[in-house]
Amino acid sequence: MGRKIWITIATLAAALALIPAAAAGKGPAQAVDRLHEAYRSGSVDGMLSVYAADATFEDVNQRHRFTGTEQLRALLTGIVGMHLRLDLVEQRRAVDGNVVVVEYEYRGQLDGKVLGASVGKQGCPDLEYALPTTSWYRVENGKITHQKDFIDWATFLDLRQQMLSAGTDVGGGDRP
């Protein structure tokens, strides 16, 4: 009887030892969850902690490609800096080995002052948006090594037009 109890205790201890690794979210889907949570909170360092040091981010529609921590930091700092609020609303997800595909909407509120300054306008209002996107993530060893975004181009162009038609041009070609 004593031997069975010790075997049961040893088995239980071994099973419990596995829980911290699983709870730490080492799998591909959990890496994407951590990225999305950091995005929602606007934490550039939190997002960077999920990417591998040599990770690549691609926006297929805009033909952007950023590789490595420094380029990703610049990209993410710019995104966070132009927002008053960031969010993602996921619709579907598929996981196949180390690849995670997520269909969602980037949602948020863009800061009108920052947007206006970027295009040489004053008085631009804050802009609420929802931008449908599908992202492909490749994850290795709990870190995102490659993210490829496919945004809804028609929605993006509509949002861009809303932004460009708002506010008034800064006179004399000077930008603030």
Side-chain angles (χ1 to χ4, degrees), residues 12-170:
L12 181 58
L16 290 174
L18 296 176
I19 291 175
K26 299 293 184 189
Q30 291 80 16
V32 172
D33 289 342
R34 289 192 315 273
L35 176 67
H36 288 183
E37 187 57 39
Y39 180 87
R40 286 182 185 100
S41 70
S43 172
V44 172
D45 287 334
M47 288 183 271
L48 287 173
S49 75
V50 183
Y51 287 105
D54 60 348
T56 297
F57 171 90
E58 290 183 85
D59 179 328
V60 173
N61 301 89
Q62 297 182 80
R63 298 183 183 161
H64 293 163
R65 182 181 181 94
F66 301 89
T67 300
T69 301
E70 293 307 312
Q71 288 185 4
L72 289 172
R73 180 178 299 282
L75 168 69
L76 298 171
T77 299
I79 290 170
V80 170
M82 68 175 35
H83 281 84
L84 297 171
R85 185 177 41 76
L86 293 161
D87 197 8
L88 302 164
V89 178
E90 188 173 318
Q91 281 92 29
R92 294 176 231 347
R93 178 184 291 210
V95 179
D96 185 13
N98 68 341
V99 175
V100 181
V101 180
V102 182
E103 183 181 338
Y104 57 94
E105 286 184 336
Y106 280 122
R107 291 187 185 177
Q109 184 178 34
L110 295 166
D111 184 326
K113 289 179 186 176
V114 173
L115 288 175
S118 72
V119 295
K121 292 186 172 241
Q122 294 178 345
C124 290
D126 299 336
L127 180 63
E128 290 279 339
Y129 70 92
L131 181 60
T133 304
T134 299
S135 294
W136 288 66
Y137 302 92
R138 187 173 55 240
V139 181
E140 296 173 17
N141 300 317
K143 298 279 190 173
I144 296 171
T145 60
H146 195 177
Q147 177 180 345
K148 187 179 283 193
D149 277 9
F150 299 86
I151 62 174
D152 180 318
W153 195 240
T155 302
F156 175 83
L157 291 176
D158 182 51
L159 290 168
R160 183 174 178 267
Q161 185 58 40
Q162 288 177 47
M163 178 191 72
L164 291 174
S165 65
T168 58
D169 289 331
V170 175

